Amino acid sequence: MTGADFGELLRSYREQAGLTQQELAERAGVTPHAISSLERGARTRPYPHTVRALADALAISAGDRAALIAAVPRRNPSGDRRRQHAEPAPGPGGEAVRASDEQPTRGSHRQAVGGPRGRVIVPATGLVGRDGDVAAVRGVVRAGARLVTLTGPGGVGKTRLAAAVADELAPDFPDGVVQVSLAPLADASALMVTVGRALGLAGVDSPRAFDLLVEQLSDARLLLVLDNFEHLLSAAAQTGELVALCKQLTVLVSSRSPLRVRGEHEYVVEPLDLPPRGSTTVDQLRAYPAGALALDRALAVGQRPASDDVPAYAELCHRLAGLPLAIELAVAQLRLLSPKALLERLDTASRAVGARDLPERQRTMRATLDWSYRLLGPDQQRLFTLMGAFRGGATLETVEAVAEDGGEIASGNVLGILQELAEHSLIRVRGDRLEMLEPVAQYARSLLVGDRAARIGRAHARIYEDLAKQAAAGYERDDQVVWLERIEEEEANILVAVERSLDVGDGPIAARITWYMWLFWWMRGQFTIGRRLAESCLENELPAWERSRVNLAAATMAYAAGDHTAAATYWAEADLAAMEQNDREVRSKAIAGTGLAALANGDLETAEDRFRVSLTFVHSSTWMASLVHVWLGTVQLLRGAPAVAVPEIERGLELARGRGDRLATYVALYNLSQAALALGDYPLARRRVDEGIALSRETRDLANLAYFVETLAVIESKEGNHVRVAMLLGAAAGLRETVGADVYAYYLPDESLRDSALRAARTALGEAAYAEADAAGRSLDPTAVAELGKE
C-alpha cells in the first residue's frame, strides 16, 4: 500500500467514528496538524506509536487496527541497522526530511514507545529562578544537539532542571521521554541494562544489552534523561556511541562532571543569583532567584517573613552560595528556629566543617548537611544514617524491620521519626516508598561506617532475604504477579544485599537470596545477572544446603542462556551435594534438570528416565511435579505419540491450576496446544493458545508469549488468514529479539508447521505485502501483540 492509502484509511475510520480532526487529535495526544498531514499524505511514514495511539483513539477492531498498521509504507530494505540514516533520508520531492518528520520504525523501540511515553516526573514544588536555563537548554536541543550534559556541583538543581526541560520538550519527541535515575547503580557496566529496563525491554540483562538498545532505538525519536551520571563515567564512551548510532535519539544527562565524548554539549548549571547582602525589603529579596526560593520554601513551612527578617534571609542565601538544595534544607528548619537563630547556627557549622582543599560550594553543602544532621535528635540521626543502607528507597515496613533487627530503633517508633525527617526535608515520600535525594543519600552513607555499618548491612540483608524467600513461595501460587511486581520494585536493594554479603564474606546469605531470586530472573529474562551472582556465591565456602541450591540457580540461568553443557554440570553438582544430605527437594530438581539436558540433546530415553526418577523425590502436588508431568508429555510428543502425551500434560495442568500458578499453567497449555495440532484439533489448539497468551501477558513473560504467538500463526494459516500469519510471525520474531534468548528451551514444537505457514503466506501475499505485514508485526509492543492474538 502507498502512503496515500494510509491517509485515506485514517480518514475513513475517523469519519465512521464521527470525529473531527481536532477531536481525534485530542484523544490520540497529537496535534490537529499531524492528523491533517497524515490524511493528506503530507506525512507518509507515521511511527508505530502514532499508529497505535490513533487506533486506540478510534476504538477500532483488532482487524481494522491490523489493516491500519499494514497500510504504513515499508521503509527501504535495511543493511547494517546500526549505520542507517547517516544522512537525512530524501523526502517525497527529493528534499531532505526534517528532524520533525516521522520516519519508519520497523522493529525499533517496540516497548519503550508503548510504555513510558510522556511520563515525565516533575516535582510538585515550583522551579524558581530557572526560566532562562530551561529556555537555553531547550534551545540547544532544538538546534540539533543530541547529547547535552547539565553539569554543576551537588545540590545545584541539575536533576530538577533536567525534569523541567524534559517536560517542555516532550511534544517534540513522538516516541516519548524516558527518565532513568542512575543513583542506585553501582556498576558502570550495567548502565545499558538499566536503560533497557527503564524502556521496558525484557531480556536486556545480557551481553547483548548495548546491541539490543541500538536495534530498538535506531529510528526512535525519543528523549532519554540520565540522572546522576557522575559515578559512572567509565560508561561515557558507550553512551556517546549509542547516540551516534541512533540518529534520532537525544540524551539529556545530569552529572557533576562532563562525559568528555564527541558530540557532547555541556551546559553548566550555576547556583541561583544572590540578593544583595544589604537587602531590606521582601520585594528586593524576591527579585533574585536565591531569595525567591528561600521565601517560597519559607511559606511552604508556614513562615511569612517580616521586614526585620530580610537581612537574615539574604545572608543565608550568601552563606549557602545559592545552592537550591542547601537553601531548601536550611529553610526547612524555620519550623523550629527564627531566621536569625538559623543564621547563627549555620555560621557555626560552616566554620567548623569542610576540608580547605574542597571548592567553596562543596564545603558549604557539606556544612549545610552536617548542620542539618546536628539539629537532629539521637534517634533521628540513627534513622537518617540507617536510610543510607538502602538503594532506590524502601517501604515503611522494610525500614521498620531493618531498624529493629539492626538494634537501632524499635519498629513502633520509626514512623514518627520518619515524619520528623520529612519535615527537615531529608527524606521524601513517593507513593508507598521513602526516598532521599541522592546528595542526601550519599551523605547518609558517608556517616554509616565501621561496625555499625556492618551490623545494619547484615540486618538489611536478613530482611531482604526474608522478602525474597516470601516471593519465591509466591511465584508458585496465585499471587505470582503481585510478587513479581514487588520484587521488581525492590531489586536494587536485593542486589546490593547480595553484593554486600559477598564483600564481607557472608556467602551463605548471599547464596540463599540468589536461590530465592532465580525464578524472578527466569521470568524476567535476566539470566546473565542471575548466573553471575550464583557463580560468585560458589566461589565461597558454603554449607551443603546453600551450595546445592545455588548450583541449581546457576544451572537454570545457564540453561536459559543456552549453555546446556554448563547447566548439566551444575545440576550434577547440585545432586551430588543433595545426596549427602538426603535433600529430596534439591534431588528432584537436579535430577529433572539432567532430564532437561538430555532432552536438549535428543536423548529421549534418558530424559524420560530422569523425569520419572525426579517424581519419586517430590510430593505429587508440588510445583515441580506439575512441570515434570508436562515434560514427560513433551517426550511423548517428540516420539510422535500425542494421544499418549495428553494425559501426562493434563495432569501437570491440573496441579498447576490447583495452585493458581500461571507459569506452570502456561507451560502445560503450550504443550497441550502442540498435542492438539498434532491430533488435528485446531479449535482446541486455539483455546489453549488464547489462554496461554493471556497468562503470559499477566506475568510479562515475553519469551513464552513468542511461542504462543508463533503457534497462533500456524492455526491462522489453517484458516487461510495469511496477513495475520505474517503479522504474528513478525511479532514472535520481534519478541525473541527483545528477550535475546529462547529461555524455554524445552519447548520443542514441530518446526515444519511454522515453515509451512510462512511459505503459504508468502505465496498468497507476495513478497512485498508479506514484508509489510511482517514489519507491522515486529513493530508491535507486547500489549499490542497480545491484543492481536484475541481476534
Side-chain angles (χ1 to χ4, degrees), residues 76-98:
N76 292 333
S78 60
D80 183 350
R81 292 180 58 81
R82 291 191 182 187
R83 293 171 172 78
Q84 284 184 321
H85 308 303
E87 301 295 334
E95 73 280 10
V97 177
R98 299 187 307 276

Side-chain angles (χ1 to χ4, degrees), residues 348-499:
T348 301
S350 297
R351 289 198 308 268
V353 297
R356 293 184 180 275
D357 60 346
L358 287 174
E360 180 180 351
R361 291 167 185 159
Q362 291 185 21
R363 294 204 310 270
T364 304
M365 184 68 180
R366 176 76 186 194
T368 302
L369 289 167
D370 278 333
W371 165 79
S372 295
Y373 176 72
R374 290 189 177 115
L375 282 179
L376 302 176
D379 284 347
Q380 293 169 333
Q381 288 182 345
R382 281 198 296 273
L383 190 57
F384 171 71
T385 51
L386 179 143
M387 290 292 294
F390 295 94
R391 296 293 187 274
T395 64
L396 169 62
E397 294 78 12
T398 306
V399 175
E400 289 175 330
V402 173
E404 181 156 303
D405 190 74
E408 295 284 305
I409 300 167
S411 61
N413 298 332
V414 169
L415 177 58
I417 300 171
L418 285 170
Q419 290 172 336
E420 294 165 353
L421 292 177
E423 289 178 355
H424 284 268
S425 296
L426 293 172
I427 66 167
R428 55 184 177 175
V429 180
R430 288 185 179 273
D432 65 349
R433 295 185 72 73
L434 304 162
E435 298 179 348
M436 285 179 165
L437 294 170
E438 184 53 27
V440 180
Q442 291 175 358
Y443 176 78
R445 285 194 283 273
S446 75
L447 299 178
L448 187 61
V449 296
D451 292 341
R452 183 166 176 262
R455 184 179 72 252
I456 292 173
R458 287 192 296 270
H460 177 277
R462 285 193 295 268
I463 297 306
Y464 279 100
E465 178 194 359
D466 184 64
L467 179 66
K469 183 178 181 180
Q470 293 178 58
Y475 299 149
E476 300 179 13
R477 301 193 301 257
D478 57 359
D479 52 355
Q480 191 174 63
V481 172
V482 173
W483 279 110
L484 285 169
E485 292 175 351
R486 174 74 190 280
I487 295 304
E488 190 168 80
E489 192 174 52
E490 295 288 7
E491 190 176 8
N493 274 308
I494 290 172
L495 293 179
V496 79
V498 175
E499 299 281 9

Side-chain angles (χ1 to χ4, degrees), residues 376-637:
L376 302 176
D379 284 347
Q380 293 169 333
Q381 288 182 345
R382 281 198 296 273
L383 190 57
F384 171 71
T385 51
L386 179 143
M387 290 292 294
F390 295 94
R391 296 293 187 274
T395 64
L396 169 62
E397 294 78 12
T398 306
V399 175
E400 289 175 330
V402 173
E404 181 156 303
D405 190 74
E408 295 284 305
I409 300 167
S411 61
N413 298 332
V414 169
L415 177 58
I417 300 171
L418 285 170
Q419 290 172 336
E420 294 165 353
L421 292 177
E423 289 178 355
H424 284 268
S425 296
L426 293 172
I427 66 167
R428 55 184 177 175
V429 180
R430 288 185 179 273
D432 65 349
R433 295 185 72 73
L434 304 162
E435 298 179 348
M436 285 179 165
L437 294 170
E438 184 53 27
V440 180
Q442 291 175 358
Y443 176 78
R445 285 194 283 273
S446 75
L447 299 178
L448 187 61
V449 296
D451 292 341
R452 183 166 176 262
R455 184 179 72 252
I456 292 173
R458 287 192 296 270
H460 177 277
R462 285 193 295 268
I463 297 306
Y464 279 100
E465 178 194 359
D466 184 64
L467 179 66
K469 183 178 181 180
Q470 293 178 58
Y475 299 149
E476 300 179 13
R477 301 193 301 257
D478 57 359
D479 52 355
Q480 191 174 63
V481 172
V482 173
W483 279 110
L484 285 169
E485 292 175 351
R486 174 74 190 280
I487 295 304
E488 190 168 80
E489 192 174 52
E490 295 288 7
E491 190 176 8
N493 274 308
I494 290 172
L495 293 179
V496 79
V498 175
E499 299 281 9
R500 191 183 284 148
S501 297
L502 289 171
D503 288 344
V504 300
D506 195 347
I509 194 170
R512 291 193 297 271
I513 297 174
T514 299
W515 162 243
Y516 297 138
M517 284 290 290
W518 79 266
L519 192 53
F520 172 85
W521 291 323
W522 174 282
M523 285 195 277
R524 287 291 181 263
Q526 296 172 15
F527 39 84
T528 302
I529 189 169
R531 182 174 180 178
R532 178 178 67 81
L533 290 177
E535 291 177 340
S536 296
C537 290
L538 288 170
E539 293 173 2
N540 293 261
E541 289 294 327
L542 299 174
W545 193 96
E546 286 82 359
R547 176 164 292 279
S548 61
R549 282 163 175 78
V550 84
N551 265 295
L552 285 180
T556 52
M557 296 296 95
Y559 183 78
D563 190 347
H564 299 153
T565 301
T569 300
Y570 284 127
W571 272 316
E573 288 290 330
D575 191 33
L576 186 63
M579 277 192 287
E580 297 174 3
Q581 302 294 315
N582 193 26
D583 189 328
R584 298 179 67 83
E585 177 192 6
V586 174
R587 293 220 66 195
S588 69
K589 293 176 178 176
I591 293 169
T594 58
L596 290 176
L599 195 66
N601 292 326
D603 186 351
L604 300 185
E605 295 299 324
T606 299
E608 181 178 11
D609 174 71
R610 297 285 82 198
F611 293 147
R612 295 203 180 280
V613 172
S614 171
L615 285 176
T616 67
F617 287 94
V618 67
H619 191 277
S620 61
S621 63
T622 62
W623 176 74
M624 196 65 207
S626 59
L627 287 175
V628 172
H629 279 293
V630 175
W631 294 332
L632 283 168
T634 304
V635 171
Q636 297 303 327
L637 283 174

Side-chain angles (χ1 to χ4, degrees), residues 164-508:
V165 171
D167 190 43
E168 289 216 1
L169 286 173
D172 296 359
F173 294 89
D175 279 330
V177 178
V178 178
Q179 295 169 293
V180 185
S181 174
L182 304 179
L185 193 61
D187 185 358
S189 66
L191 174 62
M192 294 300 154
V193 173
T194 302
V195 171
R197 291 187 192 174
L199 291 168
L201 304 179
V204 292
D205 183 58
S206 73
R208 292 191 62 251
F210 179 80
D211 291 339
L212 179 59
L213 278 174
V214 171
E215 292 166 8
Q216 297 294 315
L217 300 178
S218 60
D219 298 315
R221 287 172 58 191
L222 177 126
L223 176 62
L224 178 62
V225 183
L226 301 179
D227 189 34
N228 289 114
F229 202 106
E230 58 270 2
H231 61 302
L232 304 173
L233 291 175
S234 61
Q238 195 174 43
T239 303
E241 185 181 7
L242 180 68
V243 174
L245 294 175
C246 303
K247 299 302 182 181
Q248 301 194 72
L249 173 69
T250 297
V251 177
L252 179 62
V253 176
S254 73
S255 175
R256 296 185 190 184
S257 303
L259 274 59
R260 305 296 188 199
V261 297
R262 287 181 297 177
E264 179 188 33
H265 185 109
E266 181 183 1
Y267 185 89
V268 179
V269 183
E270 299 288 352
L272 298 174
D273 289 342
L274 301 169
R277 273 197 160 100
S279 299
T280 56
T281 68
V282 170
D283 287 341
Q284 191 177 13
L285 195 64
R286 197 184 301 279
Y288 295 86
L293 177 63
L295 291 172
D296 179 79
R297 298 307 185 254
L299 290 172
V301 297
Q303 301 299 315
R304 189 174 295 277
S307 297
D308 291 345
D309 296 326
V310 169
Y313 274 88
E315 183 63 22
L316 178 72
C317 293
H318 278 267
R319 298 282 182 86
L320 299 177
L323 289 170
L325 178 59
I327 292 172
E328 293 197 30
L329 291 171
V331 172
Q333 309 310 318
L334 290 176
R335 293 185 176 93
L336 308 172
L337 302 170
S338 70
K340 291 180 182 177
L342 172 63
L343 188 60
E344 289 173 0
R345 289 173 178 262
L346 181 65
D347 184 52
T348 301
S350 297
R351 289 198 308 268
V353 297
R356 293 184 180 275
D357 60 346
L358 287 174
E360 180 180 351
R361 291 167 185 159
Q362 291 185 21
R363 294 204 310 270
T364 304
M365 184 68 180
R366 176 76 186 194
T368 302
L369 289 167
D370 278 333
W371 165 79
S372 295
Y373 176 72
R374 290 189 177 115
L375 282 179
L376 302 176
D379 284 347
Q380 293 169 333
Q381 288 182 345
R382 281 198 296 273
L383 190 57
F384 171 71
T385 51
L386 179 143
M387 290 292 294
F390 295 94
R391 296 293 187 274
T395 64
L396 169 62
E397 294 78 12
T398 306
V399 175
E400 289 175 330
V402 173
E404 181 156 303
D405 190 74
E408 295 284 305
I409 300 167
S411 61
N413 298 332
V414 169
L415 177 58
I417 300 171
L418 285 170
Q419 290 172 336
E420 294 165 353
L421 292 177
E423 289 178 355
H424 284 268
S425 296
L426 293 172
I427 66 167
R428 55 184 177 175
V429 180
R430 288 185 179 273
D432 65 349
R433 295 185 72 73
L434 304 162
E435 298 179 348
M436 285 179 165
L437 294 170
E438 184 53 27
V440 180
Q442 291 175 358
Y443 176 78
R445 285 194 283 273
S446 75
L447 299 178
L448 187 61
V449 296
D451 292 341
R452 183 166 176 262
R455 184 179 72 252
I456 292 173
R458 287 192 296 270
H460 177 277
R462 285 193 295 268
I463 297 306
Y464 279 100
E465 178 194 359
D466 184 64
L467 179 66
K469 183 178 181 180
Q470 293 178 58
Y475 299 149
E476 300 179 13
R477 301 193 301 257
D478 57 359
D479 52 355
Q480 191 174 63
V481 172
V482 173
W483 279 110
L484 285 169
E485 292 175 351
R486 174 74 190 280
I487 295 304
E488 190 168 80
E489 192 174 52
E490 295 288 7
E491 190 176 8
N493 274 308
I494 290 172
L495 293 179
V496 79
V498 175
E499 299 281 9
R500 191 183 284 148
S501 297
L502 289 171
D503 288 344
V504 300
D506 195 347

Side-chain angles (χ1 to χ4, degrees), residues 547-784:
R547 176 164 292 279
S548 61
R549 282 163 175 78
V550 84
N551 265 295
L552 285 180
T556 52
M557 296 296 95
Y559 183 78
D563 190 347
H564 299 153
T565 301
T569 300
Y570 284 127
W571 272 316
E573 288 290 330
D575 191 33
L576 186 63
M579 277 192 287
E580 297 174 3
Q581 302 294 315
N582 193 26
D583 189 328
R584 298 179 67 83
E585 177 192 6
V586 174
R587 293 220 66 195
S588 69
K589 293 176 178 176
I591 293 169
T594 58
L596 290 176
L599 195 66
N601 292 326
D603 186 351
L604 300 185
E605 295 299 324
T606 299
E608 181 178 11
D609 174 71
R610 297 285 82 198
F611 293 147
R612 295 203 180 280
V613 172
S614 171
L615 285 176
T616 67
F617 287 94
V618 67
H619 191 277
S620 61
S621 63
T622 62
W623 176 74
M624 196 65 207
S626 59
L627 287 175
V628 172
H629 279 293
V630 175
W631 294 332
L632 283 168
T634 304
V635 171
Q636 297 303 327
L637 283 174
L638 293 175
R639 285 174 173 160
V644 179
V646 169
E648 285 281 11
I649 302 171
E650 287 183 338
R651 175 57 179 156
L653 178 62
E654 179 186 6
L655 294 173
R657 289 197 196 280
R659 292 189 315 277
D661 174 10
R662 294 167 181 78
L663 171 63
T665 296
Y666 56 60
V667 170
L669 288 168
Y670 178 79
N671 281 274
L672 286 171
S673 74
Q674 301 309 300
L677 289 179
L679 293 169
D681 192 341
Y682 283 81
L684 177 59
R686 181 183 288 276
R687 291 196 297 273
R688 302 300 195 189
V689 167
D690 288 346
E691 185 180 356
I693 287 175
L695 293 175
S696 300
R697 179 180 176 183
E698 286 183 26
T699 61
R700 294 178 14 224
D701 189 335
L702 304 189
N704 197 71
L705 180 60
Y707 278 102
F708 276 112
V709 168
E710 196 168 75
T711 300
L712 184 59
V714 173
I715 297 169
E716 293 287 353
S717 179
K718 186 71 174 180
E719 299 176 6
N721 299 323
H722 299 298
V723 171
R724 282 177 56 76
V725 169
M727 290 186 68
L728 289 164
L729 291 177
L735 290 170
R736 287 204 175 95
E737 289 170 4
T738 299
V739 175
D742 283 340
V743 180
Y744 291 90
Y746 48 75
Y747 282 179
L748 300 168
D750 184 346
E751 294 290 345
S752 67
L753 297 177
R754 176 198 176 279
D755 294 343
S756 177
L758 186 149
R759 287 194 301 272
R762 283 187 184 278
T763 300
L765 299 176
E767 285 298 324
Y770 181 91
E772 283 187 293
D774 177 87
R778 288 174 185 265
S779 72
L780 297 176
D781 64 24
T783 299

